[in-house]
Amino acid sequence: MDTKVPESVSSNDEPVVIAFVNYHSGGKTGQQIATELTRLLGQDRVFNLAEGGPRPGLEKWRHVPNLRVVACGGDGTVNWVLASIHQLGMVETASAGIIPLGTGNDASRAFGWGFKFPGVSGIAKNVKKMKTSPVVPFDRWHVAISHPRPLSAVTVDQYPPSIRQIKKLPPFSYNAILQAFTNADNTNISNNTDKKSNNTDVELDNFKAATQNLLVGSPRPIEMKDQKEAVIMSDLSSVLPMNTSTIPNDKIVKFIPEQDVPDTVDLFGTEWNNYLSFGVDAQIEWGFHNCRENYRGCFCCRICNMAWMGCYGLCAFCCCQALTLDITVEVRDREGKWSTLTIPNNVRAIVLLNLPTYAAGRDIWGKPTSKYVGSDPSTSDGLVEVIGVVSTFHLIRMTMECSKGLRLAQACEVKVHLNSPRIYVQMDGEPWLDEPSTYHVRPLRQLQMLRNNSEN
């Protein structure tokens, strides 16, 4: 497991702290938390997410060069706040810390803020830490969902609110380093010769110019350090051709600019932080989610939620047959090469994981195999882990920390083709039932998170 802290980002400006509270998380403790945060920060810096979401508060303080945002809630709340920071173009000025109120709290675990609510008495200590905590990068991902035929109204209604029809794809960012460009960099700069790269056959100066041409309209001015972290430009899916007429095919870039979606294409999409999964785990989450929505009084605290989840997992094992998983998974590696994964016939779930842990702190990455070795998961390596689950019983053993997942791949881009008439899907705890479709996962720009390095 990766315990190394990524390089920090510092600022000389005095930080300003604001907080967002999800009143529905943490078993009815939202009002108490808001009262304590108002005492610590002031009424103008504490915002109720039920009143317009994160955007009003972020827009009010977006001019602050060193803004520290406290997200009080579960993983869904954290995703909501981070998505708003990204959409408002505040990735350079805002960093986020977490006061965990949810059930799993995997994002909070990953950045050292704990697995459960520290209590009202612990809020002051955590807020004080967030004022001086180091800022570290965090990978985030976008998924575009395309369908071969028009969607039924039932399927559209089942999509969670975070998934919406999109007319523009956001700028995508690739952080992996292409070895050919490293060779070109060393040859042209370190050795100061006119020798060209064997793979790209393009001088470094020409590469810089071509990259700048492509990056018109990118989210911020491109610095040389960004160009040195470049990889082969990703091809978009066949339904969404990209205009690259001015850029030769062998150029390497880090950012893919914003793209318009043709009117003839029904494309849905959203951002995600923790995981995106297909199969039996989403099927269990689907039952749990529907019951919680209908009987909220029975899901009043984290312990109750975990107990109910365990019951649904046991019922699924004893009474329900997991749906056969008919999917095809394509992955792109650091060198920009696409390959189709060989998925064993007994696999009943595929998990794309962005954090070191899953399902309330479980390490499911598994052990190296003869087919795939890989490296330890990280929150800032530009890679997503692809993991297989072979049965409901296997999933239960994983949640009991008696087993690991099936290690399949690490990738900087993934396409998942759903071939079955219906497949359960979940993303950061939000489940739905989908029709045959293609899920195209690509990296967004990294956001800034506050890491708690203190043990106390």
Side-chain angles (χ1 to χ4, degrees):
M1 195 58 53
D2 183 22
T3 58
K4 184 179 179 181
V5 179
E7 183 178 351
S8 300
V9 181
S10 62
S11 173
N12 295 325
D13 299 299
E14 184 69 22
V16 172
V17 181
I18 64 174
F20 296 95
V21 182
N22 186 345
Y23 279 41
H24 296 293
S25 296
K28 303 178 181 179
T29 59
Q31 186 60 56
Q32 299 175 26
I33 295 168
T35 300
E36 176 67 7
L37 287 170
T38 299
R39 183 185 70 82
L40 295 170
L41 305 176
Q43 189 171 2
D44 61 334
R45 298 189 184 186
V46 180
F47 301 91
N48 181 3
L49 287 170
E51 299 176 357
R55 290 184 69 100
L58 291 172
E59 289 175 341
K60 179 178 179 179
W61 294 94
R62 66 184 305 174
H63 62 281
V64 176
N66 189 358
L67 184 64
R68 306 218 159 186
V69 180
V70 183
C72 305
D75 289 328
T77 299
V78 175
N79 191 23
W80 193 7
V81 172
L82 293 182
S84 299
I85 291 174
H86 181 269
Q87 292 161 9
L88 290 172
M90 300 172 63
V91 295
E92 295 289 341
T93 59
S95 52
I98 304 170
I99 293 180
L101 301 179
T103 303
N105 300 315
D106 285 293
S108 179
R109 297 168 190 264
F111 294 99
W113 298 108
F115 65 93
K116 64 179 181 179
F117 177 48
V120 175
S121 60
I123 293 177
K125 182 169 66 174
N126 279 9
V127 170
K128 182 179 180 180
K129 289 179 182 179
M130 290 179 189
K131 293 180 179 180
T132 58
S133 294
V135 179
V136 297
F138 182 34
D139 294 333
R140 295 187 72 249
W141 302 84
H142 182 273
V143 57
I145 310 170
S146 58
H147 298 81
R149 54 182 178 269
L151 279 178
S152 67
V154 174
T155 298
V156 173
D157 290 341
Q158 288 178 353
Y159 279 159
S162 59
I163 295 182
R164 55 201 176 274
Q165 190 167 9
I166 53 178
K167 292 300 181 183
K168 286 182 179 292
L169 285 176
F172 296 116
S173 170
Y174 290 84
N175 298 316
I177 300 174
L178 183 67
Q179 186 62 40
F181 178 62
T182 303
N183 294 339
D185 190 0
N186 293 336
T187 301
N188 286 279
I189 296 178
S190 301
N191 297 334
N192 195 25
T193 69
D194 293 332
K195 184 177 179 181
K196 298 177 181 180
S197 165
N198 293 331
N199 291 334
T200 63
D201 199 34
V202 176
E203 292 182 359
L204 184 61
D205 290 342
N206 292 338
F207 164 74
K208 295 178 193 176
T211 305
Q212 290 291 355
N213 289 338
L214 179 63
L215 297 177
V216 172
S218 60
R220 63 182 175 87
I222 304 304
E223 301 172 357
M224 186 56 200
K225 66 180 182 180
D226 294 325
Q227 297 169 359
K228 286 184 178 180
E229 296 175 348
V231 295
I232 289 179
M233 180 173 56
S234 167
D235 59 305
L236 299 180
S237 59
S238 58
V239 299
L240 192 61
M242 180 180 176
N243 182 12
T244 58
S245 57
T246 61
I247 307 300
N249 292 332
D250 57 2
K251 294 301 183 291
I252 40 184
V253 301
K254 182 177 180 181
F255 292 102
I256 295 177
E258 183 178 74
Q259 294 291 301
D260 290 325
V261 177
D263 292 336
T264 57
V265 176
D266 286 333
L267 199 66
F268 292 81
T270 190
E271 305 88 11
W272 59 278
N273 299 322
N274 299 3
Y275 60 87
L276 174 66
S277 65
F278 310 84
V280 63
D281 67 324
Q283 185 175 350
I284 294 172
E285 179 67 31
W286 169 263
F288 170 81
H289 176 78
N290 285 340
C291 185
R292 181 172 59 179
E293 290 299 307
N294 294 325
Y295 306 99
R296 281 197 169 272
C298 298
F299 297 82
C300 57
C301 65
R302 180 175 177 271
I303 295 177
C304 291
N305 291 352
M306 295 187 70
W308 277 110
M309 181 64 76
C311 291
Y312 270 93
L314 185 62
C315 290
F317 172 65
C318 298
C319 308
C320 302
Q321 182 68 32
L323 295 180
T324 301
L325 194 66
D326 184 8
I327 69 174
T328 304
V329 180
E330 300 177 72
V331 296
R332 173 172 247 169
D333 60 22
R334 284 186 180 274
E335 286 71 39
K337 298 178 182 177
W338 282 101
S339 60
T340 301
L341 294 183
T342 300
I343 301 176
N345 293 331
N346 62 342
V347 166
R348 291 294 177 264
I350 294 292
V351 180
L352 309 184
L353 187 61
N354 186 43
L355 295 177
T357 62
Y358 167 81
R362 274 55 179 180
D363 171 17
I364 66 169
W365 178 223
K367 299 179 180 178
T369 65
S370 58
K371 294 183 179 180
Y372 190 79
V373 178
S375 58
D376 289 340
S378 170
T379 57
S380 59
D381 58 1
L383 297 173
V384 62
E385 282 69 47
V386 184
I387 303 165
V389 180
V390 299
S391 66
T392 306
F393 182 58
H394 183 206
L395 180 64
I396 293 174
R397 296 187 71 237
M398 287 165 52
T399 58
M400 296 175 63
E401 300 184 278
C402 299
S403 183
K404 305 288 186 182
L406 180 62
R407 185 180 294 199
L408 297 176
Q410 287 175 304
C412 60
E413 188 173 356
V414 182
K415 292 179 183 178
V416 179
H417 306 279
L418 308 185
N419 306 318
S420 298
R422 61 191 186 111
I423 288 183
Y424 290 94
V425 185
Q426 70 163 331
M427 177 198 68
D428 291 350
E430 294 182 303
W432 65 92
L433 188 61
D434 212 341
E435 301 175 7
S437 53
T438 296
Y439 283 66
H440 195 163
V441 174
R442 284 166 286 199
L444 294 167
R445 288 195 60 204
Q446 291 178 323
L447 293 186
Q448 300 181 147
M449 298 294 292
L450 301 174
R451 183 186 287 280
N452 179 20
N453 292 329
S454 173
E455 295 182 359
N456 299 316

